[in-house]
Amino acid sequence: MYESYDMPAAYMRLRTLLDALTVNTLRYCLDGKDADDVVQRMKGVEADLMNMIEIVGGASPCADGYFNCGGVCVPYACFEKYARSAE
């Protein structure tokens, strides 16, 4: 789809896809028929996302400057409920 030298366009397309994934994932999950359905949808999406995160190398142990947030590496301190002290 992109020429090999067209890094800015490829990056912008990736960012657009990630934004669409975020928005549509939240809508899908929150549009459940009741609280139990919402939670089940979230669990299903979480499993799929964890697989993708493992593929792209974002699972723990984390590189320097990243934090383990429930088994995934993020560049910010995690909400305490999901933080893990040991990797």
Side-chain angles (χ1 to χ4, degrees):
M1 181 175 199
Y2 302 103
E3 298 292 328
S4 62
Y5 60 87
D6 198 359
M7 168 80 153
Y11 174 81
M12 295 209 32
R13 178 65 178 159
L14 179 60
R15 283 295 325 153
T16 300
L17 293 173
L18 292 171
D19 290 344
L21 177 65
T22 299
V23 169
N24 288 292
T25 298
L26 291 171
R27 288 184 60 197
Y28 166 76
C29 291
L30 296 173
D31 282 347
K33 64 181 185 270
D34 57 34
D36 289 336
D37 190 36
V38 168
V39 170
Q40 288 307 308
R41 287 177 179 216
M42 288 180 176
K43 287 180 180 180
V45 168
E46 179 181 352
D48 291 338
L49 290 175
M50 288 299 291
N51 287 333
M52 186 64 191
I53 289 168
E54 287 179 20
I55 290 169
V56 299
S60 63
C62 301
D64 289 342
Y66 286 80
F67 300 86
N68 182 340
C69 186
V72 297
C73 301
V74 294
Y76 50 82
C78 184
F79 178 64
E80 190 171 316
K81 179 178 179 181
Y82 298 105
R84 296 197 179 154
S85 59
E87 294 189 348

